Amino acid sequence: MEPKEGFFSRLGSTLARWWDFAYKGVWKTTKNTPGIRLLKTLNLTVTSFFDRDLLTRAASLTFDTLLALVPALALIFAIGRGFGLQDLLRDQLFSYFPAQREAIETAVRFVDSYLNESTQGVFVGVGIIVLLYTLISLLSSIEESFNYIWGIKKERSFYQKLTDYIAICLLIPILMICSSGVSIFLSTVFQTDAHIPFLTPLVNWLLDLFPLVLLWLAFSLSFLLIPNTKVTFKYAAISGAVSAIAFQILELLFLNGQIYVTKYNAIYGSFAFLPLLLVWLQFSWVILLSGGTLCYSLQNVFAYNYMANTSQVSNDYMRKVALVVGVVITTRFEKGLQPLTCNEIAREYELPLRLVSSITDQLHAMGLVNYVVLENDAVGVAPGEDISNLSAARFLKALDKYGDSDFIPTFNTNYAALSEMVDQWESHEWEGADAVLLKNLEITTPEPPSPKK
């Protein structure tokens, strides 16, 4: 008799089967239960996050944030001084980011020096230029990261960026002042009015919850408005709630970990807050980008019939998928039907969304298709030229020839015989190519260029 399998061995086998199903098998099942949808969404979110190397983008945004930190606070406090509320804004920053109190205090001292210098002489113009450049650069990097998550190639125009970003920079301090004023007003009214003392505990609880609500709104609006595409509010709100809770947990971890700061003080002295600030910023950007990826996954999970590494798809398979996409686009146009979006093509014709998006981008760059805005602000794909003259052969040849054909300047000179042979085989549909063995072909080593005298 064979020995009975041990408990840990059975547990390992069970976990391995579960992992294989969660990683690959879930995309092959035809079930559409809430659990399967949740598992697909989590799978797509995690896979997309690492496929897009968003950890590196979070590090880049951390660096951009350090450059923009003082100018951004300078703008906030400059507006606050205009209303005489700079102290209120500082208290608001402490309440929003309690784990970074020391970093904010240091930054505020820099801001005071920045504002004092920016009102003197030529530094006025230079200070404003530096302030706008750093802020617009940071916001542009954030938009680029979100567009990268959504696979959006087209960015906002420079004029749109300038107007939208300046509006954001001006609205943030005003909203901070208004939210603080609402909190103070409600707290004062309900604590001093003797007629409604029973509501005071509830109001205090709501006021404690208010920062979390503001975080939820901030994250939700970021996921909704920053990507240069149409995002469903429901999915942005769900992702915003998850990101707000994750950010609050991060704040609690940093607050409870302040007792370990003394170890950093022995190494970094007065700059002990800096490594902690960098770590906090890195994790904060990871939360934001993860939330953006979750929003993308929630909205597009039904367009993914399965997950696969599209970078391993062969050229032959890519050409076949491209031909299917081309046929779908042209036949719908011929019948007078509304153009489909990439998501709709992938979902209705059971094609990988990543391949469809990559192919339509390539066809658009070749001029074979155009992106058109539909009634619901979605982006459809329509033919880019007269379909009456677009044959399947010309379509496939155009795909094969797309790209830079003169990448190596001396290639056609050094390997002219082989280039002519390949061109001849292609023109005759590779007739006779099977009879030629690679080992029987000869090439000569290019002579190195003669040194200049």
Side-chain angles (χ1 to χ4, degrees):
M1 295 180 60
E2 295 183 358
K4 186 177 180 180
E5 191 177 11
F7 170 77
F8 290 104
S9 179
R10 295 196 307 272
L11 179 62
S13 300
T14 302
L15 292 177
R17 288 195 301 271
W18 286 353
W19 172 258
D20 185 69
F21 175 78
Y23 183 63
K24 295 180 181 179
V26 69
W27 298 105
K28 299 178 182 179
T29 182
T30 56
K31 295 180 180 179
N32 194 24
T33 62
I36 293 296
R37 291 199 298 270
L38 176 62
L39 192 56
K40 284 185 176 181
T41 302
L42 294 176
N43 185 315
L44 180 58
T45 301
V46 175
T47 305
S48 299
F49 183 88
F50 288 104
D51 283 352
R52 289 164 170 78
D53 195 18
L54 295 183
L55 285 175
T56 302
R57 286 190 171 264
S60 175
L61 288 171
T62 299
F63 175 76
D64 290 339
T65 305
L66 285 178
L67 291 179
L69 184 60
V70 172
L73 290 177
L75 178 62
I76 292 175
F77 280 95
I79 296 176
R81 284 185 178 183
F83 293 96
L85 300 172
Q86 62 269 25
D87 294 334
L88 179 62
L89 283 174
R90 183 169 57 250
D91 294 338
Q92 282 291 91
L93 288 173
F94 290 150
S95 64
Y96 290 152
F97 310 109
Q100 299 301 323
R101 187 180 186 91
E102 186 177 356
I104 293 174
E105 289 176 347
T106 304
V108 168
R109 288 196 294 270
F110 288 140
V111 167
D112 290 335
S113 301
Y114 185 94
L115 293 177
N116 291 334
E117 292 294 331
S118 64
T119 58
Q120 301 176 9
V122 71
F123 195 82
V124 177
V126 176
I128 293 175
I129 292 174
V130 172
L131 185 148
L132 292 177
Y133 172 77
T134 52
L135 292 181
I136 291 176
S137 176
L138 174 61
L139 293 172
S140 181
S141 298
I142 298 172
E143 180 188 350
E144 182 183 348
S145 298
F146 273 88
N147 287 341
Y148 182 68
I149 291 173
W150 284 85
I152 305 299
K153 301 295 189 297
K154 184 179 180 181
E155 296 184 352
R156 290 179 173 87
S157 65
F158 178 78
Y159 176 75
Q160 284 181 309
K161 287 184 178 182
L162 191 64
T163 54
D164 293 348
Y165 295 168
I166 291 177
I168 291 173
C169 294
L170 294 177
L171 282 175
I172 287 177
I174 295 175
L175 291 177
M176 290 177 63
I177 294 171
C178 293
S179 65
S180 178
V182 171
S183 301
I184 295 173
F185 173 76
L186 291 177
S187 179
T188 303
V189 168
F190 283 92
Q191 289 181 4
T192 57
D193 195 332
H195 299 286
I196 47 176
F198 60 91
L199 289 179
T200 300
L202 176 62
V203 171
N204 290 334
W205 180 78
L206 291 176
L207 290 176
D208 292 336
L209 194 64
F210 194 54
L212 180 61
V213 175
L214 288 178
L215 277 175
W216 170 66
L217 288 174
F219 279 115
S220 300
L221 291 176
S222 298
F223 302 145
L224 182 69
L225 301 177
I226 293 179
N228 192 25
T229 186
K230 183 176 178 60
V231 180
T232 304
F233 176 77
K234 175 177 66 175
Y235 301 132
I238 295 173
S239 304
V242 174
S243 300
I245 294 172
F247 188 82
Q248 284 291 90
I249 294 174
L250 177 67
E251 285 287 291
L252 290 175
L253 290 175
F254 267 80
L255 278 174
N256 294 329
Q258 292 296 322
I259 58 176
Y260 300 103
V261 174
T262 54
K263 298 180 180 180
Y264 285 97
N265 288 336
I267 301 173
Y268 294 99
S270 60
F271 288 97
F273 73 89
L274 187 57
L276 294 175
L277 175 64
L278 291 174
V279 174
W280 180 79
L281 286 174
Q282 174 75 8
F283 278 108
S284 299
W285 285 120
V286 167
I287 290 174
L288 181 70
L289 297 181
S290 299
T293 309
L294 176 60
C295 183
Y296 166 81
S297 301
L298 287 169
Q299 184 163 321
N300 295 286
V301 67
F302 297 110
Y304 281 83
N305 304 302
Y306 56 89
M307 282 292 294
N309 188 354
T310 56
S311 62
Q312 298 178 358
V313 173
S314 66
N315 290 334
D316 178 68
Y317 192 80
M318 180 72 80
R319 293 167 79 248
K320 293 175 182 177
V321 176
L323 186 60
V324 172
V325 173
V327 170
V328 170
I329 295 171
T330 53
T331 53
R332 289 187 64 85
F333 183 81
E334 178 70 16
K335 296 176 182 179
L337 300 175
Q338 178 175 283
L340 297 177
T341 65
C342 291
N343 287 352
E344 291 170 340
I345 294 174
R347 184 170 60 250
E348 294 186 17
Y349 293 90
E350 297 184 356
L351 300 173
L353 177 59
R354 291 185 181 180
L355 283 185
V356 173
S357 299
S358 175
I359 288 168
T360 53
D361 286 339
Q362 182 174 335
L363 295 177
H364 179 259
M366 295 162 56
L368 293 180
V369 301
N370 283 329
Y371 290 129
V372 294
V373 179
L374 306 178
E375 294 179 355
N376 58 353
D377 291 334
V379 179
V381 189
E385 62 175 59
D386 186 3
I387 62 174
S388 61
N389 298 321
L390 184 59
S391 65
R394 192 165 77 84
F395 179 85
L396 293 175
K397 287 181 180 179
L399 282 175
D400 292 338
K401 297 293 185 181
Y402 173 73
D404 190 353
S405 299
D406 194 21
F407 184 72
I408 305 174
T410 60
F411 185 86
N412 290 331
T413 302
N414 295 333
Y415 310 105
L418 285 181
S419 296
E420 292 176 1
M421 187 184 301
V422 172
D423 291 338
Q424 185 177 6
W425 285 339
E426 288 181 345
S427 62
H428 293 82
E429 297 182 352
W430 300 97
E431 181 181 349
D434 289 335
V436 180
L437 301 178
L438 288 180
K439 66 178 183 179
N440 295 331
L441 296 175
E442 294 183 0
I443 59 173
T444 57
T445 305
E447 296 182 2
S450 57
K452 296 182 179 180
K453 295 182 179 181

